[in-house]
């Protein structure tokens, strides 16, 4: 027995020595090239750059991660305690690692039927998010253990908690507790109640699944868990927490829809060119711009309405896609479940589905901006299954998660599924899942088949326009209560594009800029990036050059008669004509010729002045693009941008005083 005990002791000693050697060796191995925790003393996480319009409202944001940093001292104790109870109740007691929790997690994972559960402290999570990565490997975990202990020595507990609360993700592209509080509850983090803080703390294990906008049911379950933890971990007595359990989850008001996406992108490009992309996307700058939101909304609406009217005159391009009825019957209840579980920002808020994602997208087609609930599909399949949680979603579940949910309101545009076409009743019914929409035939009489260069017959019945199974784009005309169908009409995204620029002559502020009908589909800014022939809108600069030469006055006589110009190099003859065939009026004043936009008079004028004189005047007015040095310039054959033309006309309005158009008024950094 003594010999056996002796051998066991030797083996145990050898095992201890071996473990010590392996531990020391592993420490030095994983300690190589580790980042220094000293950088955390001055670490500034990426922050969102906010752009403010002329009325002071936020009209755009630029970010890698949408985050606004708040000091830990501004957060009330119950907000901090909610996160501590949910993630690491012993945070202020341990030194970065929780050996008991690690051992408990290891035992659970080794038991039959056990699951891999986390045992990371807040220090470890902060270390992983800032200094390391989300890679799941033993090597990353070992480095995390080493750095976590060093973090505890380099920083105070409050500093580590501040880094953590400002770094973590809360879903819907919101990072940090401040942005989460504003997005979900419409208030600053310092104003959160205990129940609201419990909701945000409960989001952390799976932000895209547990947030109250995507799924109010899961958010309530997670809130109850956090409130239970506050009691069981000794933060508050049950009596104090009981009142918070009964409070409903009231989401903050929906942020107003932002206008001027083309304007915002133009500002972003200018800022990046001046300060660099990193400063703009993560520097937390504050930018004041000249945009007037009310005028911008009017400009966007006017341009869109005009383009849609023109597009409808060209005919209907047909449905955006088709879906078999059996397939829709499978997806419909899944989408209905999402709508039922989605949070409401108003008690009477109704949500419907935009079924664009169910239509086959052409290869290379630009995607739409994710809406509420769409991000859930991105990470859903990879989320670890926790105890009591349902298994990972099926492919149909994932597809239904990709369908954006829209708040029902007049003028809403979305894609729906045609469930009924009634030729006798002259109507069709389109299912938006959350609501049905009725389309009267009288509103789709414009929807003749698209004919390029030829006339096509208008529809004579509803089935000429749509059929059951079609996925069609509709626009809501009137919102109805209860089960009564909405009133809607057929809609389509215009193919033709345009641009509009509005400048205040008093200070050259660009108060509105629209570069197209739909920024998400085509971010190309036709107000600044596209160049087109100005045509007759160039003539005022030619006539102004004539007045500036002092050889002409507004009542100088010019002859409106046929003109023939021979090219001295090619010998070809050019015969400019007026817009009205045969509309020549003989001698007239310069004022009358410009008023009636006479082409022949304009050509005679530039022939006398020379193209160089017209180009020089246009340059001084603000047209910087190359212009042809020949007589065709009189008819506007050069290519200019809408912004150039608007600013050049502003120079005429300001009696010849040139200035650059102003979009950016003021820029300040995070300090």
């Amino acid at each position: 027995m003594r010999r056996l005990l002796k051998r066991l002791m030797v083996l145990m000693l050898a095992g201890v020595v071996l473990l010590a050697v392996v531990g020391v060796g592993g420490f030095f191995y994983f300690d190589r090239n580790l980042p220094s925790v000293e950088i955390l003393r001055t670490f500034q996480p990426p922050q969102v750059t906010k752009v403010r319009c002329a009325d002071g409202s936020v009209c755009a944001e630029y970010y890698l991660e949408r985050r606004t940093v708040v000091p830990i001292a501004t957060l009330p104790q119950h907000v901090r305690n909610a996160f501590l109870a949910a993630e690491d109740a012993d945070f202020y007691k341990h030194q970065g690692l929780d050996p008991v929790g690690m051992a408990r997690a290891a035992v659970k994972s080794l038991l039959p039927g056990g699951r891999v559960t986390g045992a990371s402290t807040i220090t470890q999570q902060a270390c992983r998010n800032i200094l390391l990565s989300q890679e799941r490997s033993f090597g990353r975990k070992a480095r995390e253990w080493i750095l976590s202990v060093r973090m505890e020595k380099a920083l105070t507990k409050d500093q580590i908690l501040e880094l953590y609360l400002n770094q973590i993700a809360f879903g819907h592209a919101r990072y940090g507790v401040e942005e989460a509080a504003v997005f979900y509850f419409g208030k600053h983090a310092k104003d959160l109640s205990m129940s609201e803080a419990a909701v945000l703390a409960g989001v952390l294990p799976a932000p895209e699944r547990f947030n109250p906008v995507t799924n109010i049911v899961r958010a309530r379950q997670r809130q109850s868990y956090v409130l239970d933890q506050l009691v069981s971990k000794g933060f508050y007595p049950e009596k104090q927490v009981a009142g918070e359990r009964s409070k409903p989850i009231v989401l903050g008001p929906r942020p107003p829809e932002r206008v001027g996406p083309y304007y915002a992108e133009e500002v972003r490009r200018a800022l990046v060119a001046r300060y660099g992309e990193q400063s703009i996307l993560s520097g937390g700058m504050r930018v004041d711009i000249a945009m007037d939101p009310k005028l911008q909304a009017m400009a966007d609406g006017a341009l869109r309405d005009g383009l849609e009217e023109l597009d409808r005159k060209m005919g209907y391009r047909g449905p955006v896609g088709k879906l078999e009825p059996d397939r829709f019957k499978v997806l419909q209840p899944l989408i209905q479940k999402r709508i039922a579980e989605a949070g409401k920002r108003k008690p009477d808020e109704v949500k419907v589905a935009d079924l664009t994602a169910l239509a086959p997208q052409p290869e290379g087609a630009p995607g739409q901006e994710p809406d509420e609930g769409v991000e859930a599909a991105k990470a859903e399949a990879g989320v670890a299954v926790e105890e009591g949680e349902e298994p990972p979603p099926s492919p149909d579940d994932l597809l239904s998660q990709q369908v954006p949910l829209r708040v029902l309101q007049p003028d809403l545009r979305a894609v729906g599924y045609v469930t009924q076409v009634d030729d006798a009743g002259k109507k069709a019914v389109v299912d938006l899942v959350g609501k049905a929409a009725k389309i009267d035939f009288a509103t789709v009489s414009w929807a003749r088949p698209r004919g390029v260069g030829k006339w096509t017959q208008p529809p004579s019945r509803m089935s000429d326009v749509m059929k059951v199974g079609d996925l069609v784009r509709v626009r809501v005309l009137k919102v109805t209560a209860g089960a009564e169908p909405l009133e809607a009409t057929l809609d389509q995204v215009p193919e033709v594009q345009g641009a509009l620029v509005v400048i205040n002559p008093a200070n050259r502020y660009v108060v509105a800029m629209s570069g197209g009908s739909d920024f998400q589909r085509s971010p190309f800014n036709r107000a600044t990036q596209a160049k087109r022939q100005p045509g007759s809108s160039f003539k005022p600069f030619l006539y102004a050059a004539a007045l500036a030469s002092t050889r002409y006055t507004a009542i100088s006589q010019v002859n409106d008669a046929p003109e023939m110009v021979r090219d001295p190099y090619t010998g070809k003859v050019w015969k400019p004509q007026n817009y009205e065939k045969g509309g020549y009026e003989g001698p007239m004043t310069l004022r009358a010729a410009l008023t009636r936009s006479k082409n022949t008079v304009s050509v005679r004028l530039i022939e006398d002045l020379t193209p160089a004189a017209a180009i020089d005047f246009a340059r001084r007015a603000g047209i910087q693009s190359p212009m042809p040095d020949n007589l065709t310039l009189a008819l506007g054959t050069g290519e200019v941008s809408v912004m150039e033309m608007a600013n050049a006309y502003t120079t005429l309005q300001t009696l010849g005083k040139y200035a650059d158009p102003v979009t950016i008024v003021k820029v300040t950094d995070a300090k």
Side-chain angles (χ1 to χ4, degrees), residues 53-379:
C53 294
D55 64 353
S57 63
V58 176
C59 50
E61 293 177 322
Y62 312 128
Y63 54 87
L64 292 172
E65 296 177 350
R66 186 178 273 158
R67 174 187 291 106
T68 301
V69 173
V70 291
I72 189 70
T74 64
L75 299 178
Q77 192 62 48
H78 64 262
V79 173
R80 303 187 222 177
N81 289 343
F83 288 92
L84 294 175
E87 295 294 313
D88 187 3
D90 295 326
F91 172 70
Y92 281 93
K93 298 177 183 178
H94 61 64
Q95 299 301 312
L97 301 177
D98 181 10
V100 176
M102 294 165 64
R104 182 171 57 247
V107 171
K108 281 187 177 181
S109 64
L110 293 175
L111 290 175
R115 304 173 186 271
V116 177
T117 59
S120 296
T121 64
I122 283 179
T123 306
Q124 288 177 261
Q125 294 181 53
C127 172
R128 180 167 63 242
N129 292 335
I130 300 173
L131 298 177
L132 298 174
S133 68
Q134 301 299 322
E135 175 192 2
R136 295 192 175 190
S137 67
F138 178 77
R140 193 270 297 162
K141 199 69 178 177
R143 293 181 177 89
E144 180 184 299
W145 292 335
I146 297 172
L147 288 173
S148 295
V149 175
R150 292 177 180 174
M151 279 181 64
E152 291 278 346
K153 295 179 180 179
L155 304 175
T156 66
K157 286 288 188 179
D158 283 350
Q159 288 175 323
I160 295 173
L161 186 59
E162 180 177 302
L163 287 173
Y164 173 76
L165 293 177
N166 283 299
Q167 188 72 18
I168 46 181
F170 286 89
H172 291 278
R174 263 66 182 186
Y175 292 81
V177 67
E178 175 69 8
E179 284 291 330
V182 171
F183 178 73
Y184 291 117
F185 298 111
K187 58 178 66 175
H188 296 292
K190 63 183 177 64
D191 300 321
L192 290 171
S193 67
M194 183 186 296
S195 62
E196 291 167 340
V199 171
L200 295 185
V203 162
L204 300 183
E208 304 300 349
R209 300 170 65 193
F210 297 155
N211 72 77
V213 169
T214 299
N215 196 310
I216 196 75
V217 177
R218 285 173 171 167
R220 171 64 78 179
Q221 294 170 348
R222 291 292 304 170
Q223 179 197 44
S224 297
Y225 166 78
V226 175
L227 293 175
D228 289 342
Q229 289 290 98
L230 284 170
V231 175
S232 63
K233 299 297 183 180
F235 288 96
Y236 300 104
E238 172 60 33
K239 184 178 180 180
Q240 186 173 350
V241 175
E244 302 293 330
R245 297 183 189 276
S246 58
K247 291 182 180 179
I249 298 178
V250 180
L251 298 178
R254 178 175 295 275
E257 185 176 354
R258 288 173 179 168
V259 298
Y262 287 98
Y263 200 129
E265 176 60 15
E266 190 69 20
V267 168
R268 187 197 66 82
R269 284 198 296 265
L271 291 172
V272 168
R274 187 176 299 178
Y275 303 110
E277 188 171 40
Q278 190 65 25
S279 297
I280 300 306
L281 295 183
S282 60
M285 288 183 166
R286 297 296 178 264
V287 183
D288 294 333
I289 63 175
M291 181 208 295
D292 184 322
K294 292 182 179 179
L295 294 179
Q296 182 65 57
M298 294 170 64
D300 289 342
L303 179 61
R304 183 181 62 249
D305 292 346
L307 294 176
E308 288 177 351
E309 181 182 356
L310 177 59
D311 194 67
R312 283 193 293 270
K313 290 179 180 178
M314 300 170 66
Y316 181 48
R317 296 196 299 274
V320 299
K322 294 181 179 293
L323 196 65
E324 293 296 327
D326 291 342
R327 182 70 175 143
F328 183 67
K329 288 179 181 178
V330 173
L331 295 171
Q332 185 185 35
L334 298 175
I335 301 172
Q336 285 176 331
K337 181 182 178 183
R338 278 191 58 214
I339 293 175
E341 293 179 343
K344 296 182 179 181
R345 295 189 182 272
K346 292 182 179 179
D348 59 345
E349 184 176 88
V350 176
K351 289 188 177 181
V352 296
D354 181 353
L355 304 181
T356 306
L358 303 185
Q361 298 296 317
E363 187 174 350
Q368 292 188 332
E369 184 178 358
D371 205 333
E372 295 180 355
V374 177
E375 298 94 334
K378 298 178 181 178

